[in-house]
Amino acid sequence: RTGEKVSDALGEQAWLLGKTTLDLSDLTIVHHHLHWQTLKYVKYGEPIKGADKFPDTDHATAACMVTPGCTAVYHDFKAHKYSLMTGTSKVPYTKSRVISSIKRLPCGDGKCQGVKSGKVVTIDLKHCYQIKTVEIYNKQSCCSKSGGNVVVKVGKSTCNTVHMSGKTSTVRFDCATNTQGKVMTMTFNDIGDINIEGLYLLFKGIQECD
């Protein structure tokens, strides 16, 4: 804190001396759809020339997010080096302890779309995810009497079974422990007036699905 001026803190009758300066210039804002999938002992992609002078993973991943063509961050523990990579080749590497952190977006491009077939809505997530929480936003239909249970599955695992109807605008629920997979399905009892407008997932990217 600096200065000697006394001021009221937001009208809360708490008097403060001086002022605080907050420096956010080194803050990394992570895209809420983006996650990093780690592959141990795998060299993913090829090095981007000149992009290997980062002090740690935080700075390397922040640079990868704004570097065109960057697909991963490569950490060679023995060489103490963090490198930005491009391409999608995967080569096993056992000469040194290495980790490739691959930049991923759900459904490939972060723009997931549900495909409806009969009473089933399917979402291809493209990569392995462990799903913890699901929130479904439904276009509410006034006075609808239809509805019933919705079975939500991720891969081969049943996440949960919840009740929805045309009157349901939002439903939020947790998945069973270790619910994981690449494909998510929602099987409706009556899909006649179920109109899903959005889906929120609390997830963790994992290396391989069980």
Side-chain angles (χ1 to χ4, degrees), residues 10 12 17 22-23 49 73 97 107-108 134 194 202:
L10 301 177
E12 296 178 354
L17 179 64
L22 182 61
D23 182 7
K49 188 177 181 179
V73 170
R97 184 187 174 200
C107 306
V134 178
I194 302 295
L202 183 59

Side-chain angles (χ1 to χ4, degrees), residues 19 53 77 86 95 104 120 125 140-141 189-190:
K19 63 180 181 179
K53 307 298 183 184
F77 286 80
T86 187
K95 295 180 180 179
R104 297 294 200 196
V120 181
L125 300 171
Q140 193 171 3
S141 301
N189 180 64
D190 187 338

Side-chain angles (χ1 to χ4, degrees), residues 21-184:
T21 300
L22 182 61
D23 182 7
L24 299 178
S25 60
D26 199 37
L27 179 66
T28 299
I29 306 297
V30 179
H31 192 286
H32 71 287
H33 288 303
L34 180 69
H35 74 279
W36 300 89
Q37 182 186 33
T38 57
L39 292 179
K40 297 179 180 179
Y41 298 104
V42 172
K43 181 181 178 183
Y44 188 90
E46 295 297 327
I48 296 177
K49 188 177 181 179
D52 59 356
K53 307 298 183 184
F54 306 100
D56 51 41
T57 303
D58 290 348
H59 286 81
T61 52
C64 185
M65 289 172 63
V66 297
T67 300
C70 181
T71 55
V73 170
Y74 181 66
H75 182 193
D76 187 325
F77 286 80
K78 186 176 181 179
H80 303 289
K81 183 178 287 188
Y82 299 85
S83 305
L84 302 191
M85 311 293 280
T86 187
T88 58
S89 60
K90 289 194 291 186
V91 179
Y93 195 88
T94 57
K95 295 180 180 179
S96 175
R97 184 187 174 200
V98 300
I99 291 180
S100 292
S101 299
I102 308 168
K103 185 166 63 174
R104 297 294 200 196
L105 288 169
C107 306
D109 59 1
K111 300 176 182 178
C112 298
Q113 296 289 328
V115 178
K116 185 170 72 171
S117 177
K119 295 183 179 182
V120 181
V121 174
T122 301
I123 301 172
D124 186 358
L125 300 171
K126 300 296 184 185
H127 312 297
C128 290
Y129 292 95
Q130 188 174 81
I131 308 296
K132 183 179 180 182
T133 302
V134 178
E135 186 167 341
I136 301 173
Y137 302 92
N138 188 44
K139 185 176 181 181
Q140 193 171 3
S141 301
C142 175
C143 313
S144 172
K145 295 181 180 180
S146 61
N149 288 337
V150 182
V151 180
V152 181
K153 288 189 174 184
V154 180
K156 298 178 181 179
S157 307
T158 298
C159 160
N160 209 328
T161 300
V162 296
H163 182 84
M164 286 187 70
S165 71
K167 293 183 180 180
T168 304
S169 58
T170 305
V171 59
R172 182 184 176 98
F173 50 89
D174 291 331
C175 285
T177 303
N178 203 35
T179 297
Q180 58 179 268
K182 293 183 178 181
V183 176
M184 181 175 180

